[in-house]
Every structure is written in structure tokens, then in C-alpha cells.
Amino acid sequence: MRLTVVGCAGSFPGPESAASCYLVQADDGTGRTWNLVLDLGSGAFGALQRYVEPDAIDAVGLSHLHPDHMADVSGLYVYLKYSPEPLARRQVTVHGPFGTASRLGEAYGLEPGESLGDHLAVHAWQPGRPVRVGPMTVVPVAVEHPLPAYGVRVSGPAEDDAGRTVTLAYTGDTDACAGLDDLAQGVDVLLAEAAFLEGRDTVRGIHLTGRRAGEAAERGGVGRLVVTHVPAWYDPEDAVSEARALFSGPVLGAYPGMVVAL
């Protein structure tokens, strides 16, 4: 299993990166590569096409319904509906919080009587209920954010040994909470947002800081921590430094095109 960072800018696209989007891939026993996209935020659909053809996407998982995590699903819908080229598929499965179908329809601006369903098969996350995407198992975990939000644990075959199972956890947007600790417990890689900076952003219940991401990684016994979702007005290295002060393992800062093998 491997993670490619497509977009990692926090809250809005930055000059160097699209908003949140992460491609998780795993090969099954026949050698077929399965493609799971976690979030498809503003500006991300264009960058995503550098790494995977849109009709090869097997599933999209949306952490929550703020635009920086879901706006570019509209672009995927347009591609699947109107592409003049023959496509391997014209429908992609989308998982997200309750209300995802109506939110996506509003974002796109559906005409009366028009439905997403022919091109986006939308399903609501059920906390703790696994979803299969080829050789990967995706488990949603409710976290703390102003909108209903989920992190996910994705388990699948190790990149260097298909007989070994590895786990990636993605926090989506959250503050420290019991769900975050459940996500982080024992994972090989924790992909954690850190949109807030210690000492400056004091409001709670919205985002992590690098420090709080590092604390969660340390409590969970995480293998590696990847810090992401840092807004363009902050230096990502500040979030990384905060995390390193609390987490004894390796800490990496996400950047577009970054590949992490699990």
C-alpha cells in the first residue's frame, strides 16, 4: 500500500498546492492496482490526473463536507458524465457523512430532475463499519469538527510484502478527541492535519496544531507521522517542529507529489 499526496494545503488552495486530496493505492493478488481517493478538495481534481486516470478511481472517501475537502468532486462528476472518450467506468463510488449526496448536488448545481446517481454512487459512512476497496479495508471513525466529520483507518498489503498488513490513518479535520486516539492507535502512518499554530489559534473544536498531532501520535504508538493541511499563511516546518517536540518517531511534512510506502 502506498500514499501519494495530491494536495495538502489547509482550508484553501495555496500557491504551491491544491487543497486536501490523498491517493491511496494497493495491488491485489492479480497485480491489479486499486485506487482510493481520500478527499477531493478545491483545486485537487486537476492535480489528481497526474497520478491516476479519473475512470480508474475505485472509490472516493470524503472526511467531511467543507469545500477544501469536497469541492472538486464536481469536476469528477463532469468528467464521468461528459467525457467524449471511452471510459473504463462512468460511475464512481463516493463515501461521506450523511447528507453527502445532497451537498454534492448543491455544489454542482443540478438541474431539476437531474441526479448524480448515474455517475456518483453515494453512500453514508457508518462509524466503525468497514468498507472494502479491493485489498484495502476502510474504517471510518467520527472526530471533532464543526460539521459531521470522519477520519479513516485504511488497512491493506504492505508495499514490500503482500502477506503483511499495514495501516494508514487519516485524520481529516479534527481537534484532539477520543476519535483521534482511536484512529492513531498502533498505525504504521498517521496522516494528521495541523492547520492551527500553538499560541496563535486558541479556538478549540476545529483543528489540530502540530503539537496536538504529535501528542496523538505519541499516545498511539504510531510508526511515522505525516503533518498536512497547513494553510498558506503558515510555514509547514513550524507544524513539523511542534510535532517533533512531542513525538519520538519520524515526523514528515506533506508536500504535493510526496509518496509514502507502507
Side-chain angles (χ1 to χ4, degrees):
M1 196 163 70
R2 56 201 172 273
L3 163 71
T4 300
V5 176
V6 177
C8 56
S11 303
F12 56 91
E16 305 297 334
S17 176
S20 297
C21 185
Y22 308 94
L23 175 63
V24 184
Q25 297 172 296
D27 300 333
D28 65 18
T30 70
R32 187 238 210 250
T33 298
W34 291 75
N35 300 294
L36 167 65
V37 175
L38 298 177
D39 284 340
L40 193 47
S42 9
F45 185 60
L48 180 62
Q49 293 171 69
R50 299 174 187 157
Y51 308 106
V52 64
E53 293 295 332
D55 61 334
I57 297 170
D58 294 291
V60 175
L62 300 178
S63 63
H64 66 289
L65 301 178
H66 277 144
D68 59 318
H69 294 260
M70 51 65 67
D72 270 26
V73 177
S74 292
L76 174 61
Y77 175 74
V78 169
Y79 182 96
L80 296 171
K81 183 173 182 177
Y82 292 110
S83 174
E85 302 298 325
L87 300 182
R89 58 163 63 90
R90 292 275 177 178
Q91 185 188 66
V92 170
T93 298
V94 178
H95 300 275
F98 182 79
T100 293
S102 60
R103 180 74 175 90
L104 294 178
E106 291 167 0
Y108 176 70
L110 291 177
E111 297 294 328
E114 187 180 7
S115 170
L116 295 173
D118 289 341
H119 305 290
L120 301 176
V122 181
H123 303 275
W125 293 125
Q126 300 295 321
R129 180 176 295 180
V131 171
R132 292 287 296 180
V133 182
M136 294 179 281
T137 301
V138 185
V139 179
V141 178
V143 294
E144 184 178 4
H145 198 56
L147 292 182
Y150 293 86
V152 293
R153 289 172 62 101
V154 184
S155 299
E159 188 76 349
D160 61 354
D161 179 4
R164 182 168 61 90
T165 298
V166 292
T167 302
L168 162 75
Y170 169 50
T171 67
D173 285 2
T174 184
D175 201 345
C177 61
L180 175 63
D181 287 343
D182 290 343
L183 281 170
Q185 189 61 44
V187 298
D188 297 276
V189 173
L190 176 63
L191 177 64
E193 68 104 343
F196 281 176
L197 188 66
E198 286 289 334
R200 183 194 183 283
D201 301 293
T202 57
V203 63
R204 296 302 301 259
I206 303 176
H207 288 298
L208 295 171
T209 61
R211 178 184 180 90
R212 295 201 289 271
E215 288 173 335
E218 188 69 16
R219 285 193 301 268
V222 168
R224 286 174 286 172
L225 173 61
V226 180
V227 174
T228 190
H229 198 268
V230 178
W233 51 58
Y234 287 146
D235 183 344
E237 281 305 308
D238 290 339
V240 170
S241 295
E242 285 187 3
R244 283 184 177 143
L246 275 297
F247 177 52
S248 56
V251 181
L252 306 171
Y255 57 86
M258 177 186 197
V259 177
V260 179
L262 282 83

